[in-house]
């Protein structure tokens, strides 16, 4: 059995659907399950992990991985992992020493194509990684690996839904070139 399972990829790729499916399987198997999400993520309401297509489950809001130690479960479900802080060793120790199982989803990259938060460290310790793709907003191919921010931002973290679109590599490059040309032409 894989102890640390990670679902990653861009926005709108089905990561939360996979989490909710894992939650359902664990509850059917009569496992003690606890679900968590970052306090920062308020898109679908407080204390809930919601999928655009699959439903929702109640979740405990946390900011740091150390808060996981307060809760005993067989299975830990964590959404939007990229927004959490702390020491990744906490998850590794819970899996290694206590046999806890994790199903975790998160964005692997920011809209600027940089590694996002603790995701690189999580991917390094994962037993199983599923990299999801979305349908590209611009070309409609099912090969989008990036989340593109519509507009200008001055920080990596801008929580939202309607401000982002999924893009494939080719369409992302095209949009970035357009952004650079716009910036160049509008500098004063």
């Amino acid at each position: 059995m894989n102890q640390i399972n990670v679902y990653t990829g861009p926005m709108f790729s089905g990561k939360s659907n996979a989490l909710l499916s894992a939650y359902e399987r664990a509850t059917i198997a009569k496992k003690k399950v606890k679900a968590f999400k970052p306090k920062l993520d308020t898109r679908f309401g407080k204390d809930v992990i919601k999928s655009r297509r699959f439903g929702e489950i109640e979740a405990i809001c946390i900011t740091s991985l150390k808060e996981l130690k307060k809760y005993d479960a067989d299975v830990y479900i964590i959404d939007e992992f990229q927004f959490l802080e702390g020491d990744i060793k906490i998850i590794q120790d819970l899996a290694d020493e206590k046999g806890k199982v994790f199903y975790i989803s998160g964005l692997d990259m920011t809209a600027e194509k940089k590694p996002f938060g603790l995701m690189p460290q999580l991917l390094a310790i994962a037993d199983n990684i599923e990299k999801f793709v979305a349908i590209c907003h611009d070309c409609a191919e099912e090969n989008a690996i990036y989340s593109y921010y519509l507009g200008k931002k001055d920080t990596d973290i801008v929580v939202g839904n309607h401000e982002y679109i999924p893009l494939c590599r080719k369409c992302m490059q095209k949009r970035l070139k357009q952004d650079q040309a716009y910036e160049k032409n509008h500098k004063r």
Side-chain angles (χ1 to χ4, degrees):
M1 171 192 282
N2 293 323
Q3 299 298 122
I4 303 172
N5 304 278
V6 179
Y7 307 120
T8 192
M11 291 184 71
F12 309 105
S13 63
K15 299 180 304 296
S16 295
N17 289 344
L19 268 190
L20 272 58
S21 180
Y23 179 89
E24 182 179 23
R25 285 191 313 276
T27 55
I28 289 170
K30 303 210 184 308
K31 301 289 184 188
K32 186 175 181 182
V33 184
K34 295 280 184 195
F36 302 88
K37 68 178 261 183
K39 287 181 183 173
L40 182 65
D41 181 19
T42 58
R43 291 170 302 153
F44 299 118
K46 190 177 162 201
D47 302 332
V48 64
I49 296 172
K50 185 173 183 175
S51 162
R52 290 173 187 87
R53 296 174 291 204
F54 191 68
E56 65 184 42
I57 57 174
E58 287 186 37
I60 300 162
C61 290
I62 61 173
T63 55
S64 174
L65 297 178
K66 67 183 173 189
E67 294 173 68
L68 295 174
K69 294 195 270 185
K70 297 181 199 173
Y71 301 94
D72 183 42
D74 302 316
V75 177
Y76 293 77
I77 305 285
I78 306 172
D79 197 19
E80 301 296 347
F81 188 83
Q82 73 277 357
F83 295 140
L84 295 174
E85 56 191 44
D87 187 352
I88 201 74
K89 191 170 176 355
I90 292 167
I91 289 176
Q92 195 166 26
D93 289 348
L94 285 168
D96 291 349
E97 297 167 15
K98 302 204 185 235
K100 304 300 182 179
V101 175
F102 290 85
Y103 293 94
I104 302 171
S105 74
L107 299 170
D108 54 348
M109 290 183 279
T110 66
E112 294 75 32
K113 299 178 11 177
K114 296 187 287 186
F116 206 154
L118 294 175
M119 286 299 291
Q121 293 95 324
L122 177 65
L123 295 171
I125 66 165
D127 297 295
N128 180 47
I129 300 167
E130 289 188 51
K131 175 106 176 190
F132 288 68
V133 295
I135 296 171
C136 180
H137 178 272
D138 290 357
C139 71
E141 293 291 327
E142 193 171 358
N143 62 353
I145 59 171
Y146 299 112
S147 299
Y148 176 81
Y149 186 76
L150 297 166
K152 189 163 176 75
K153 41 184 234 181
D154 54 6
T155 180
D156 284 343
I157 299 176
V158 176
V159 178
N161 251 346
H162 306 295
E163 300 88 355
Y164 292 91
I165 57 172
L167 293 176
C168 69
R169 187 176 302 278
K170 181 180 171 186
C171 293
M172 180 68 148
Q173 288 307 110
K174 184 177 176 183
R175 289 246 186 183
L176 292 175
K177 285 179 184 173
Q178 290 170 348
D179 292 349
Q180 289 170 348
Y182 179 84
E183 287 292 320
K184 183 179 176 184
N185 292 332
H186 290 85
K187 274 191 174 177
R188 293 183 185 232

